[in-house]
Amino acid sequence: MSGDLDVVGVGNAIVDVIASVPDGFLTIHDIRKGGMTLIDQMRATELARAFGDKGRFVPGGSGANTIAGITSLGGHTGYIGKVAEDALGKFFRKEMNRVQIEFPTASLVNGPATARCMIAVTPDGERSMSTFLGASTEFTPEDVDAELIKRGKILYLEGYLFDKEEAKAAFVHAAEIAKAAKRRVALTLSDSFCVDRHRSSFRHLIKGHVDLVFANEAELLSLYETTDFDAAVQMLRADAYAGAITRSSKGSVVVTPDEIITMPAEPVKKVVDATGAGDQYAAGFLFGYARNRRIRDCAKLGHIAAAEVISHYGPRPETSYRQLAVKAGLL
């Protein structure tokens, strides 16, 4: 296919298995609340048994969720990530194709199974993730589709992909292709524990390759090893062209060379499942950014998308973001 795309994502291709559980479930099964823990295939199988028939399968992966959100706004998108030639991999590919996301990456044959994230959602809406990265980390520089990246106005990189050296090399290679093609590069820090593992690499990447950084408050504080939010914002401002920092119910703070903007969150009647809130905020923001909208409108689109996704189970939109944006007078 030819023609410009709004955003091309690079990340871990994962199938989410989501289950509503009581708080005690986390204690019984030794799951860290509110974070993401990497697990092996055996542990993934154990948790699948514990979830039983409560588990619901949804194509996931942080970056892929964001790309799906951009598509819901009417954006044209592509995605690069690795799945196995197995049932879950075929499910992931079918769902990406169904929502018209270009997904050309070849499936892995004779390797680990398709990645999955076991998401336990407690009554307070918090999600606790146990992730088996499987085939997603077998992603190498050879899987980077240079032509797809060159067609994207923005390359969106998922920080979780940094957990294996070959995948990290592919990640940097993709950023270099985008910069050489004079495309913008955006990075999400993904998780504060991910930042702890790769702090120096992230800071190097942000200074050398990244135009727009997405993070939540905890991730930003971890990146700059401080407890002072305002100081961390100033350090980000010195390192990156722009950044968007989500602060849950406090909304978000957007950093540009010219100003620091505080945007309120959209009201939500009830938080059902916080899974995907940050991913969908990035979706709204990136769509606006790719279409050269005002920064405030980019953030507003982000909050509209985040509010929709936390009002139901699952990390992807159930209501058309485009319809919501039109209703808000943003499209």
Side-chain angles (χ1 to χ4, degrees):
M1 296 177 72
S2 60
D4 267 2
L5 300 172
D6 291 295
V7 183
V8 173
V10 177
N12 284 325
I14 298 174
V15 174
D16 289 338
V17 185
I18 306 168
S20 181
V21 301
D23 275 304
F25 183 93
L26 304 184
T27 304
I28 293 169
H29 296 284
D30 194 24
I31 297 170
R32 178 169 59 86
K33 184 167 184 175
M36 193 282 291
T37 303
L38 294 175
I39 60 173
D40 60 19
Q41 190 161 353
M42 185 179 296
R43 171 73 164 153
T45 302
E46 289 172 3
L47 289 177
R49 280 200 295 266
F51 276 20
D53 58 9
K54 291 183 291 186
R56 188 161 72 92
F57 293 86
V58 183
S62 171
N65 291 338
T66 295
I67 294 300
I70 295 165
T71 304
S72 183
L73 277 157
H76 304 293
T77 60
Y79 185 71
I80 300 170
K82 202 78 172 173
V83 294
E85 188 63 39
D86 58 15
L88 284 182
K90 290 172 183 174
F91 168 76
F92 184 94
R93 190 176 298 280
K94 178 183 175 185
E95 288 300 302
M96 296 294 269
N97 291 336
R98 184 178 64 81
V99 294
Q100 297 182 310
I101 298 168
E102 291 189 40
F103 180 42
T105 318
S107 296
L108 179 69
V109 180
N110 299 324
T114 294
R116 69 215 59 178
C117 182
M118 314 300 295
I119 303 174
V121 183
T122 39
D124 58 1
E126 188 63 84
R127 79 268 195 244
S128 305
M129 299 177 285
S130 302
T131 305
F132 165 58
L133 291 172
S136 69
T137 60
E138 299 300 308
F139 184 70
T140 72
E142 287 70 42
D143 291 308
V144 173
D145 189 320
E147 292 309 308
L148 188 70
I149 289 170
K150 289 173 185 175
R151 288 171 51 212
K153 296 174 187 173
I154 302 170
L155 175 68
Y156 181 64
L157 301 170
E158 177 193 321
Y160 281 134
L161 198 62
F162 254 48
D163 278 315
K164 198 165 181 181
E165 287 303 315
E166 276 284 283
K168 188 188 294 187
F171 195 95
V172 175
H173 179 48
E176 289 172 345
I177 291 168
K179 295 304 281 186
K182 298 189 174 2
R183 299 306 203 176
R184 293 171 176 168
V185 177
L187 167 71
T188 174
L189 298 185
S190 294
D191 182 280
S192 57
F193 290 90
C194 187
V195 177
D196 289 342
R197 291 192 294 273
H198 307 296
R199 184 177 293 109
S200 60
S201 294
F202 278 154
R203 291 191 64 174
H204 175 76
L205 192 69
I206 288 166
K207 286 183 178 181
H209 296 285
V210 175
D211 302 297
L212 175 60
V213 176
F214 289 95
N216 64 28
E217 185 171 355
E219 292 155 9
L220 182 72
L221 295 176
S222 175
L223 182 68
Y224 292 110
E225 297 180 278
T226 180
T227 56
D228 185 331
F229 179 76
D230 292 332
V233 165
Q234 291 301 334
M235 285 187 272
L236 176 65
R237 200 176 187 188
D239 283 353
Y241 178 78
I245 314 304
T246 54
R247 305 186 80 186
S248 195
S249 60
K250 295 179 186 177
S252 64
V253 174
V254 183
V255 180
T256 75
D258 304 316
E259 58 186 335
I260 297 174
I261 303 166
T262 300
M263 292 292 292
E266 288 290 299
V268 179
K269 288 181 181 178
K270 182 185 178 184
V271 176
V272 175
D273 174 13
T275 308
D279 299 340
Q280 298 308 334
Y281 174 87
F285 197 105
L286 284 165
F287 175 81
Y289 206 66
R291 299 292 176 101
N292 298 312
R293 299 302 174 93
R294 294 187 315 152
I295 287 291
R296 287 179 181 276
D297 288 345
C298 294
K300 178 77 170 174
L301 285 166
H303 283 301
I304 287 171
E308 190 280 337
V309 83
I310 65 176
S311 67
H312 59 76
Y313 286 108
R316 296 192 177 187
E318 289 187 353
T319 301
S320 164
Y321 286 169
R322 186 166 187 83
Q323 289 179 7
L324 295 176
V326 168
K327 187 176 179 181
L330 293 170
L331 290 180

